[in-house]
Amino acid sequence: MKFVDEAIITVQSGNGGRGCVSFRREKYIPRGGPDGGDGGKGGDVVLRASSGKRTLYDFRHKKQFKAQNGQPGQGRQKTGRDGVDLVIELPPGTLVRDAETDQLLADLVEGDQAFVAAKGGRGGQGNTRFKSATHRAPRFAQPGESGQSLTLTLELKLIADVGIIGLPNAGKSTLISAISSANPKIGAYPFTTLAPNLGVVQADSNQPFIVADIPGLIAGAHEGTGLGIRFLRHIERTGFLVHLIDASRIDLQSPLEDYRIVIAELSHYGRGLIEKPQVVVLNKMDLPGTAEAARAFEAALAGQSVLRISAATGAGIDRLISHISQLIPERVSPPVLHGAALAGESDEGQPNDLL
């Protein structure tokens, strides 16, 4: 299924049923009086978060949604049947905005959380409601109230404990496949990942946590370059970030170049992304020359812990998972849905883990 994280839909609640104009007519009761019943209420349009939904793909072609109208009232003071509510299921993490005013109407983050987007019209009153001592035979009733119509913008922001970020081909997809049961597409070319991937990581001694593999960022992403801001929004809900760097690409003359490109994009995008805690991870430590590159990087990034891993060989993965799981209770509230020669060896032959 294609990943779709934006959609525009039009919803309309049901109209209320009209009230009934009726008079009681029975043998021996020639003037039974008015007995018209009320019309039924129109159905509401309800948006509900469902854990079974992962994308907004269902709204790629179907964009018009209408709830059922209320039925008209009947004689003998019978009230018309209410219209059935229309429930539209959305993936958790969906923001609902008024398309005309851009006003945020709802943020559906918890499973089964619901929001009435459009209320059904009230049913009209039958002529029974208008009888009085001075007006014993009213020959009129109320029409049903019209339903509401709204154009809504749906915007999905994935909910995850940890977001994996980095330049294209840093190894994000390989990492998420190594630490979870996710099975993303992996290829040796830029932008292999065209949609965020979610994976659940089972830590040995702690609660499982959710990681999101965010498609690669490049310079100018905050302005729409590459995959652009379309996927930057998915980092907003993460508790903290794993900043993955391809150690084989590190330039000894400018070791922080790749790191700074991503940091600049987070800063330009705003919305608090740059303030999120980060775990800096050097990947592909199994490749030749990466030990020297890692040392240059760590010296340039003095004062910040760096983890070395190889997602391809699995070196350091267990320690990375353990490190992340220890940070989650400190950094992240429980989810609503709901770096290896780490172990690369140093020159002295000692494991080089968190430095």
Side-chain angles (χ1 to χ4, degrees), residues 204-275:
D204 291 337
S205 57
N206 295 305
Q207 293 291 324
F209 56 89
I210 300 173
V211 294
D213 157 27
I214 308 299
L217 303 176
I218 62 174
H222 70 284
E223 297 176 335
T225 304
L227 297 178
I229 61 175
R230 178 180 174 191
F231 294 119
L232 277 168
R233 72 168 66 96
H234 295 295
I235 310 174
E236 293 181 39
R237 292 192 191 274
T238 57
F240 67 94
L241 305 174
V242 170
H243 190 159
L244 198 64
I245 295 169
D246 181 353
S248 67
R249 278 178 42 94
I250 294 176
D251 183 349
L252 296 179
Q253 302 303 315
S254 181
L256 296 184
E257 182 178 354
D258 288 358
Y259 173 81
R260 286 172 175 159
I261 289 174
V262 174
I263 292 297
E265 292 311 309
L266 298 182
S267 179
H268 290 317
Y269 181 74
R271 305 189 188 184
L273 295 192
I274 195 63
E275 283 82 28

Side-chain angles (χ1 to χ4, degrees), residues 99-146:
E100 296 182 1
T101 66
D102 202 38
Q103 178 187 0
L104 179 62
L105 303 178
D107 188 359
L108 304 177
V109 293
E110 299 185 11
D112 293 329
Q113 182 181 351
F115 163 68
V116 179
K119 292 185 177 181
R122 291 178 299 179
Q125 293 181 330
N127 66 339
T128 305
R129 300 279 191 176
F130 300 100
K131 67 180 179 181
S132 66
T134 57
H135 197 179
R136 297 183 177 181
R139 298 181 180 276
F140 59 87
Q142 286 182 330
E145 188 179 69
S146 298

